[in-house]
């Protein structure tokens, strides 16, 4: 920390207190407004208009900046999240849990508690910032060790596959990585030690059910999933594979695929086809049983394996066996990393592509779908790119900000716009925007800038900020809402659902934009990617971290009576100013005192 006079210190302290009070006052006013929206779903749990303001004031990191739209959407997302915290008395194991719902009410594709695994990775990354750790800790226990880890998913009209599996594995997720991310904020060695066997079992189920098992296959050992159970019901990579398939999937052609695999109104037609009748186990209600080795699910597995290695290394109670397991999981993560680089990366296209699974019972095997989809950015979310080879893969990001790539007038697309099958109007992932994917790609891009790019330019920071601003606008800051999807070219709001917890936003602000990096060590780093010319100031505070309280203030102009650059980033821990930096975008590491 650079030395500062008592007068300067007092200026910083006064501004911290002012901004903290402003953030708190705005939160109260916003919550009162949001509670007045008569057209919104009722709360799924105990936090509603009678008590949510007090809950949020006590639990969330406060945020304020010179961008009022981001401020409002940040507060809205916490308000929305509070409605999704649900207590669940599990009749199967007799325990009480906190779970986090996605849709309101109980959906037939949910677990018996109402929680759904599809957005759980995103939910872990947002909910981990709550001051009280019991909510996420209990949610992790439910899926990792509770009845959801043992009880098979209900098979009903929405169960469009023939693979029975636990509720905890109904959709792909990266929950083990999410536990690691949580423990970086709320370390708990005893709880971690107790949970590790359950985390290992969780990954072992993925290994057993969702890896390609065909010795002669190019995709042997990679993780596989159906479009639907990767949370992306209809993708172009599946379309291309189905078109190339013969036999059961000879139904799909370049001319007619939209009639059979483009939204839920098309699968009924496939179910009535002669192919579905001739090959009844190749379809479930018209949905093809066609598995894909995707960059998404393989990156999730890499994140989980890395987390298991990290957590075992931290497990002092586990002794030498924990250290042995740490090395085993590290080796497994490295082997998967290399296979993804060798198989899914296409050097000519400069992108990570999807393959059809090499052990598919029906349809083409080991077919590379040469279409760039936003899931191809997922490896960066988990820092999966080998550091020494980062330049080889960097070209993939050239399309992130280009009109022929993933840049829409109103938001990011989920497939490259230059592909002839691009379609943003259908309820599919053929181009239409989904906040689920924004959440993945924005963290991936922030990780690319901070952890791989040799020099981060102002244009880089502006590109990230532009995308986050688009997502903020899509929430409609005047009367905020979050739903399932948006139209990238002309959509102005997110549709499909209301107050829907299928993506992140507070985590995007805290970790990706402000750059608060949590660590297992008793320290943290701050490396903002906020373009210096966009904001006059920001405040992030009352952030509970390793049992300490952290406040961060940056201002461009501390004294309006003085001219010149006065930029200063200030960090307080437990109400003590412990670090300052004159450069907003430099990395500042703060060690905590025990």
């Amino acid at each position: 920390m650079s030395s500062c006079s008592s007068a300067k210190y007092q200026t910083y302290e006064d501004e911290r207190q002012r901004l903290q009070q402003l953030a708190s006052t705005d939160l109260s006013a916003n919550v009162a407004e949001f509670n007045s929206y008569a057209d919104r779903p009722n709360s799924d749990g105990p936090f509603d208009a009678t008590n949510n303001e007090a809950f949020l004031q006590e639990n969330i990191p406060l945020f304020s900046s010179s961008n009022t739209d981001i401020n409002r959407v940040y507060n809205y997302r916490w308000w929305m999240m509070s409605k999704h915290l649900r207590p669940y008395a599990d009749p199967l194991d007799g325990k009480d849990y906190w779970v986090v719902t996605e849709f309101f009410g109980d959906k037939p594709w949910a677990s018996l508690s109402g929680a759904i695994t599809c957005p759980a990775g995103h939910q872990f990354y947002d909910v981990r910032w709550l001051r009280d750790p019991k909510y996420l800790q209990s949610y992790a226990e439910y899926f990792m060790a509770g009845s959801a880890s043992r009880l098979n998913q209900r098979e009903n009209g929405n169960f469009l596959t023939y693979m029975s599996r636990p509720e905890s594995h109904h959709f792909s997720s990266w929950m083990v990585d999410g536990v690691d991310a949580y423990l970086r904020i709320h370390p708990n060695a005893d709880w971690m030690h107790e949970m590790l066997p359950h985390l290992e079992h969780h990954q072992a189920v993925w290994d057993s059910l969702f890896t390609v098992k065909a010795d002669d296959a190019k995709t042997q050992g990679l993780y596989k999933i159906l479009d639907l159970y990767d949370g992306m019901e209809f993708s172009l990579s599946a379309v291309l594979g189905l078109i190339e398939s013969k036999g059961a999937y000879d139904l799909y052609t370049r001319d007619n695929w939209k009639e059979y695999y483009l939204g839920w109104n098309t699968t009924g037609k496939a179910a009535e086809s002669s192919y579905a009748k001739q090959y009844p186990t190749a379809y479930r209600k018209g949905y093809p049983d066609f598995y894909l080795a995707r960059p998404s699910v393989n990156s999730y597995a890499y994140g989980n394996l890395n987390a298991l290695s990290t957590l075992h290394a931290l497990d002092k109670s586990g002794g030498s066996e924990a250290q042995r397991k740490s090395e085993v999981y590290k080796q497994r993560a490295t082997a998967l990393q290399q296979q993804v680089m060798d198989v899914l990366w296409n050097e000519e296209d400069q992108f990570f592509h999807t393959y059809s699974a090499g052990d598919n019972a029906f349809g083409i095997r080991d077919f590379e779908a040469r279409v760039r989809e936003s899931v191809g950015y997922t490896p960066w979310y988990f820092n999966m790119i080998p550091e020494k080879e980062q330049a080889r893969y960097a070209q993939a990001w050239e399309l992130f900000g280009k009109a022929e790539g993933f840049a829409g007038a109103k938001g990011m697309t989920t497939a490259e716009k230059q592909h002839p099958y691009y379609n943003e109007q259908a309820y599919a992932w053929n181009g239409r925007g989904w906040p689920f994917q924004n959440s993945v790609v924005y963290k991936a891009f922030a990780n690319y800038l901070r952890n791989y790019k040799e020099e981060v330019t102002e244009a880089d920071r502006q590109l990230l900020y532009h995308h986050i601003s688009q997502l903020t606008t899509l929430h409609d800051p005047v009367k905020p809402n979050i739903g399932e999807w948006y139209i990238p070219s002309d959509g102005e709001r997110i549709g499909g659902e209301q107050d829907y917890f299928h993506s992140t936003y507070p985590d995007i602000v805290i970790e990706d934009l402000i750059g608060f990096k949590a660590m297992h060590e008793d320290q943290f780093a701050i490396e903002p990617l906020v373009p210096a010319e966009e904001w006059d100031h920001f405040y992030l505070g009352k952030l509970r971290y390793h049992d300490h309280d952290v406040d961060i203030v940056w201002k461009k102009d501390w004294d309006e009576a003085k001219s010149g650059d006065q930029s200063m980033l200030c960090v307080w821990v437990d109400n003590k100013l412990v670090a300052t930096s004159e450069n907003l975008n430099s990395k500042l590491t703060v060690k905590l005192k025990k």
Side-chain angles (χ1 to χ4, degrees), residues 162-440:
Y162 294 93
M163 182 186 288
S164 294
R165 64 245 191 230
E167 291 182 328
S168 53
H169 293 72
H170 190 42
F171 293 90
S172 61
S173 77
W174 54 103
M175 284 190 282
V176 180
D177 169 82
V179 170
D180 181 18
Y182 157 74
L183 287 168
R184 291 171 190 265
I185 296 171
H186 298 291
N188 186 330
D190 292 340
W191 182 81
M192 179 188 74
H193 176 72
E194 292 175 5
M195 286 295 292
L196 266 169
H198 303 293
L199 302 182
E200 288 188 271
H201 174 74
H202 182 86
Q203 185 55 37
V205 175
W206 287 117
D207 301 340
S208 173
L209 297 180
F210 292 94
T211 52
V212 176
K213 298 176 178 66
D215 289 340
D216 59 344
K218 188 174 184 179
T219 53
Q220 159 67 13
L222 286 173
Y223 291 81
K224 63 180 183 179
I225 200 78
L226 298 179
D227 266 353
L228 174 57
Y229 294 109
D230 210 18
M232 304 168 195
E233 293 89 335
F234 306 89
S235 75
L236 286 185
S237 48
V239 165
L240 296 179
L242 289 168
I243 290 172
E244 291 298 318
S245 296
K246 304 301 178 186
Y249 300 140
D250 211 23
L251 167 67
Y252 304 95
T253 70
R254 288 175 173 80
D255 297 324
N256 73 5
W257 66 269
K258 293 180 182 180
E259 298 176 28
Y260 301 111
Y261 198 76
L262 187 64
W264 294 115
N265 60 326
T266 65
T267 53
K269 297 177 184 177
E272 294 302 315
S273 71
S274 61
Y275 294 92
K277 294 171 182 176
Q278 183 180 355
Y279 301 96
T281 56
Y283 298 84
R284 189 80 181 256
K285 294 186 68 176
Y287 196 86
D289 205 55
F290 187 62
Y291 282 82
L292 304 167
R294 310 186 81 207
S296 49
V297 69
N298 282 280
S299 298
Y300 304 163
Y302 174 80
N304 285 347
L305 293 169
N306 249 349
L308 285 169
S309 176
T310 297
L311 297 179
H312 275 297
L314 293 169
D315 184 22
K316 304 306 180 186
S317 299
S320 59
E321 177 63 9
Q323 301 310 305
R324 184 192 69 80
K325 286 186 174 183
S326 174
E327 186 58 32
V328 168
Y329 283 112
K330 181 180 179 181
Q331 291 173 359
R332 286 191 57 195
T334 300
L336 178 59
Q337 174 191 44
Q338 191 59 55
Q339 192 173 8
V340 168
M341 302 303 125
D342 290 345
V343 177
L344 301 188
W345 176 256
N346 184 293
E347 194 70 32
E348 181 179 352
D349 294 346
Q350 293 285 288
F351 216 76
F352 289 100
H353 287 327
T354 291
Y355 274 72
S356 60
D359 60 355
N360 272 331
F362 301 95
I364 194 167
R365 301 175 179 179
D366 282 347
F367 172 76
E368 181 184 17
R370 293 186 66 175
V371 54
R372 299 177 184 90
E373 298 172 303
S374 57
V375 292
Y377 288 126
T378 317
W380 282 273
Y381 183 104
F382 299 95
N383 295 302
M384 192 180 191
I385 308 302
E387 288 186 27
K388 294 181 180 179
E389 301 176 39
Q390 67 88 13
R392 177 184 174 189
Y393 305 97
Q395 189 67 27
W397 288 104
E398 288 297 312
L399 285 176
F400 180 50
K402 290 187 175 179
E404 66 269 28
F406 298 91
K410 298 293 184 179
M412 187 191 82
T413 72
T414 50
E416 56 178 330
K417 290 165 67 179
Q418 63 191 343
H419 194 276
Y421 291 168
Y422 177 88
N423 186 325
E424 61 182 35
Q425 297 300 323
Y427 187 88
W429 296 68
N430 301 174
R432 178 178 288 208
W434 300 78
F436 181 102
Q437 273 301 97
N438 295 73
S439 301
V440 171

Side-chain angles (χ1 to χ4, degrees), residues 74-134:
Y74 177 90
N75 287 340
Y76 159 74
R77 289 297 295 251
W78 281 116
W79 172 83
M80 175 276 294
M81 272 189 270
S82 73
K83 298 202 301 176
H84 284 284
L85 298 175
R86 172 191 281 187
Y88 178 62
D90 195 326
L92 295 169
D93 63 16
K95 295 182 179 179
D96 293 329
Y97 295 100
W98 281 98
V99 300
V100 183
T101 59
E102 173 189 14
F103 292 86
F104 290 97
D106 294 310
K107 301 297 183 183
W109 57 91
S111 65
L112 291 181
S113 72
I116 300 171
T117 55
C118 183
H122 286 322
Q123 292 171 340
F124 276 38
Y125 268 76
D126 262 0
V127 178
R128 65 182 176 142
W129 296 106
L130 284 176
R131 189 178 188 88
D132 190 337
K134 73 180 180 184

